[in-house]
Amino acid sequence: MLRIAIQKSGRLSEKSNALLKECGIQVENGNKKLKAQARNFPLEVMYLRDDDIPQYVADGVVDVGILGENGILEKEKAVEVIQPLGFAKCRLSLAVSKEVNYTGIQYFEGRKIATSYPKILKRHLDKLGVNAEVEEISGSVEIAPSIGLADGVFDIVSTGSTLMTNGLKEVETLMRSQAVMIATPNLSEERQLILEKLLFRIKAVKSADQNKYILLNAPNSAVEEICNILPGMKSPTILPLAREGWSSIHSVVKEDEFWEVIDNLQGYGAEGILVVPIEKMII
């Protein structure tokens, strides 16, 4: 049995539970218990505070955990990052009151910065050669400048709306973060095998998220050029159409290249282009 820790509530918890579901793992926790067992996979899920997950993984209380990179870097526990997950993306940034005439990072020299991530902030300030006072607070960081507690804040930013609501503006991004899976050192051979099966499923789900299946009709004279645009996993599938001189081409295109590829395909006379989501993708 592999033991995994995920955040017990919040957006990261929802995304983590959704990932397990996409991997075909059925975990029922209707009563919001702190521990639940999967019905169809050797997995036990523990629902914890995100701040506690690095400690539980480092101590071997659980074998793996899902949380943001920022939480790992702040806690500085002996864990191994084994898989980036691509969701819960955010940045950790410095912000000041919108009235401040900010001219650069040296603005913070000798000033006070409020944050819930003092270790991450201190490392970056040292690297940048800025000597600022770091004020650690556990929550409501954005209010610090307005009540005179600090001259600026260092906090997680997703859209920036929370900063604007509190009269702040983002001025420096010091790091970017996403959800990752971490593991305890020295897993037993049995649990390592289960983990590899879980990672196989996760990679199949993430590969599917990053790609689309594409079908199109094209004149035979353009097939070679189109195949150069759509290499697919190995090569495109080409099927003759009933209409003489035309073929149907099936392939895979990366999500972040999609619109550029579509423009190029139309330039070669492609018609009837269909784009279909991929549920799972085994590479």
Side-chain angles (χ1 to χ4, degrees), residues 101-112:
N101 180 25
Y102 184 80
T103 57
I105 192 68
Q106 290 302 319
Y107 165 83
F108 292 102
E109 181 70 29
R111 287 186 160 91
K112 185 183 291 187

Side-chain angles (χ1 to χ4, degrees), residues 70-91:
N70 52 292
I72 301 165
L73 293 174
E74 181 62 31
K75 293 301 181 181
E76 297 181 323
K77 299 299 180 181
V79 298
E80 178 186 1
V81 176
I82 57 173
Q83 180 66 45
L85 297 174
F87 57 80
K89 291 184 177 180
C90 64
R91 55 193 182 273

Side-chain angles (χ1 to χ4, degrees), residues 211-219 223 226-227 229-232 235-241 246-254 258 261-262 265-266 269-279:
N211 292 275
K212 299 292 183 185
Y213 189 75
I214 188 167
L215 306 86
L216 59 93
N217 299 329
V223 166
I226 288 175
C227 287
I229 298 171
L230 292 173
S235 64
T237 299
I238 303 171
L239 303 171
L241 292 179
W246 281 74
S247 294
S248 175
I249 302 176
H250 300 206
S251 190
V252 173
V253 61
K254 291 185 179 298
F258 173 74
V261 167
I262 294 298
L265 291 174
Q266 290 180 319
E271 298 179 358
I273 301 172
L274 298 178
V275 180
V276 182
I278 301 173
E279 185 175 337

Side-chain angles (χ1 to χ4, degrees), residues 26 40-41 43 47 65 80 113 136-137 150-151 220 256 282:
Q26 299 173 8
N40 59 344
F41 192 83
L43 187 73
Y47 298 93
E80 178 186 1
I113 307 171
E136 181 179 1
I137 55 178
D151 302 291
N220 289 343
D256 56 3
I282 312 301

